[in-house]
Amino acid sequence: MAIASLSRPNKMVVALALALFVVFMGNSSAHLSPDFYYKSCPKLLSTVRAGVLSAVAKEPRMGASLLRLHFHDCFVNGCDGSILLEDTPTFTGEQTAAPNNRSVRGFNVIESIKKNVEKVCPGVVSCADILTLSARDSVVALGGPSWKVKLGRRDSKTASFSDVVGAIPPPTSTLNTLINRFNTKGLSPRDLVALSGAHTIGQARCLFFKNRIYNETNIDESFAKERQRNCPRNGGDDNRAPLDFRTPKLFDNYYYKNLLEKKALLRSDQVLHDGGSTDSLVELYGDDSDAFESDFVTAMIKMGDIQPLTGSQGQIRKVCSRPN
C-alpha cells in the first residue's frame, strides 16, 4: 500500500517505523555479538586470553596499558583499531599525537596475539576485536570483573593525528571538560566515574602530576610530599608513580578511597570528588566494590559500542600496524 493513500494517523505510524528502522540500521553496534566468531574462530577467546595472561605475568603494568590502549582507540573515531596503525606515506596516525606520544604502549602484545590468532583462523578476526578482548582479559588478570565482549568490529584503513587531541581528555581536565568529552561519545557522568576506576591500575609520568603535587591545594599534604621524592620541581619528567598507591597491581575500588582522602595522583581524577556533581558516585564506589564493578562493566560495554565499523566497512587487517 502506498503511503500517500494512508490516513494521517497511519502515515505517522509508518513514518515512525521507517525512522526507527533507519536508526537501527545506522547503529553499527546493533550488529555486534559475543557469538560473532563462534563458528568462524572457536579458539579466539582462549588464544587472546593466553596472550594477555603471558604478557601480564611478565609485567603486571601491561594490563593497565592494554586497557588504556582500548580507551584511546575508542575515543578517537570509534573502536576501529586505528590507534594500532603506524604512520604511512599517505597519513600520519594517532600514535605520535600529544595524548599518545611516549605514553600509550602494548602494541607488541597486540601484534603477538594477532599472529597467534591468524594461525588458528587466518583473515577472520579484526585487530579492533582483539584489542577489545585484551582490555577485558587484562582487567580479569589483575583481579577485576569479567563480562561478555560483543564482537564483530572491523578495522579502519586509516588513522588521524589531528583527531586525537580534541577527543582524549588531558590529565589537567576540569570536571566539566571530562563530562563533556564523555558525553560526545554517548557516555554519561556515571560511565565517566566508573571508567575512571581503571586508574586503580597503571602508572603516570611525573610530567603529568608535577603541577598537582607542588601547586594544588585539594591534595593531602603528606601524599604530595611522598610523591615529590620521585618527582622534583625541575627534571625527572619521565619518573613514574602508581595511579593507585595502595594496590597498584590489583583491580579494585581503592582508587575511589584515595579520592576521598584527596590522594589522587592526577587532577583529572581528584576533580571527580571535589565538591561537584560526581562526589556521590565516588563515595558509592569507595564504599561498595560490587556497585563499582557492575557499573564499570556496563560502561566498558557501552564504550566498546562507540562507532564500530561493521559489515562491509573497513577491513580485517593481516597485520595490526598497517592497512592491507
Side-chain angles (χ1 to χ4, degrees):
M1 183 183 295
I3 292 179
S5 65
L6 294 172
S7 66
R8 181 176 175 81
N10 285 337
K11 284 182 183 178
M12 293 176 65
V13 170
V14 171
L16 179 60
L18 286 171
L20 289 172
F21 175 78
V22 169
V23 168
F24 177 80
M25 293 306 293
N27 180 8
S28 298
S29 65
H31 301 288
L32 302 181
S33 163
D35 301 321
F36 188 84
Y37 299 109
Y38 181 75
K39 291 183 178 179
S40 60
C41 193
K43 294 182 178 179
L44 171 63
L45 299 187
S46 60
T47 303
V48 174
R49 187 182 307 115
V52 170
L53 288 175
S54 174
V56 173
K58 291 175 186 172
E59 183 194 12
R61 180 184 162 214
M62 185 54 70
S65 298
L66 294 174
L67 179 56
R68 185 164 179 258
L69 199 56
H70 175 52
F71 166 70
H72 280 227
D73 182 42
C74 292
F75 261 59
V76 182
N77 300 321
C79 309
D80 59 1
S82 56
I83 196 170
L84 304 173
L85 290 172
E86 295 175 353
D87 296 349
T88 72
T90 57
F91 67 79
T92 302
E94 301 168 20
Q95 295 182 12
T96 56
N100 294 332
N101 193 33
R102 300 179 61 226
S103 175
V104 289
R105 59 197 292 273
F107 301 105
N108 57 326
V109 174
I110 298 299
E111 206 68 78
S112 174
I113 294 172
K114 171 67 170 175
K115 285 180 183 177
N116 290 334
V117 170
E118 286 294 301
K119 290 175 185 175
V120 295
C121 41
V124 173
V125 182
S126 68
C127 298
D129 275 343
I130 289 173
L131 179 54
T132 308
L133 284 168
S134 296
R136 187 274 309 272
D137 290 344
S138 293
V139 170
V140 174
L142 294 172
S146 186
W147 62 94
K148 285 189 175 182
V149 174
K150 292 195 279 185
L151 301 166
R153 298 167 193 80
R154 289 169 65 85
D155 297 320
S156 67
K157 299 177 183 178
T158 186
S160 172
F161 177 95
S162 60
D163 288 344
V164 177
V165 175
I168 304 294
T172 55
S173 295
T174 63
L175 181 58
N176 280 340
T177 297
L178 291 171
I179 290 173
N180 290 336
R181 293 278 176 98
F182 275 67
N183 182 57
T184 62
K185 305 301 176 185
L187 298 169
S188 68
R190 194 179 194 96
D191 298 324
L192 157 66
V193 179
L195 289 171
S196 295
H199 282 179
T200 182
I201 52 177
Q203 302 175 358
R205 291 163 61 202
C206 166
L207 173 68
F208 296 120
F209 59 84
K210 183 176 294 189
N211 184 67
R212 172 158 169 74
I213 62 175
Y214 285 103
N215 299 322
E216 295 186 5
T217 56
N218 62 340
I219 186 169
D220 179 84
E221 188 176 349
S222 62
F223 173 74
K225 286 183 177 178
E226 177 64 28
R227 293 279 73 91
Q228 289 169 9
R229 291 172 58 184
N230 195 43
C231 183
R233 284 185 184 273
N234 299 306
D237 286 356
D238 288 337
N239 295 350
R240 296 182 180 276
L243 290 164
D244 170 8
F245 71 97
R246 282 191 168 104
T247 55
K249 297 177 183 178
L250 277 180
F251 193 97
D252 55 25
N253 68 333
Y254 271 94
Y255 163 83
Y256 300 103
K257 297 177 188 291
N258 297 338
L259 301 195
L260 295 175
E261 297 175 5
K262 298 191 184 300
K263 294 178 180 178
L265 189 63
L266 303 177
R267 180 190 183 191
S268 55
D269 287 328
Q270 193 61 62
V271 295
L272 299 178
H273 192 271
D274 195 30
S277 59
T278 55
D279 281 18
S280 59
L281 284 168
V282 172
E283 290 158 14
L284 170 65
Y285 298 153
D287 185 58
D288 187 342
S289 60
D290 289 340
F292 160 53
E293 290 191 354
S294 176
D295 284 356
F296 179 80
V297 165
T298 298
M300 283 294 292
I301 294 170
K302 282 178 70 175
M303 186 174 76
D305 283 347
I306 298 174
Q307 293 175 269
L309 301 174
T310 59
S312 61
Q313 299 172 315
Q315 61 184 203
I316 303 297
R317 282 185 222 137
K318 296 172 184 174
V319 176
C320 291
S321 59
R322 62 176 183 266
N324 295 343

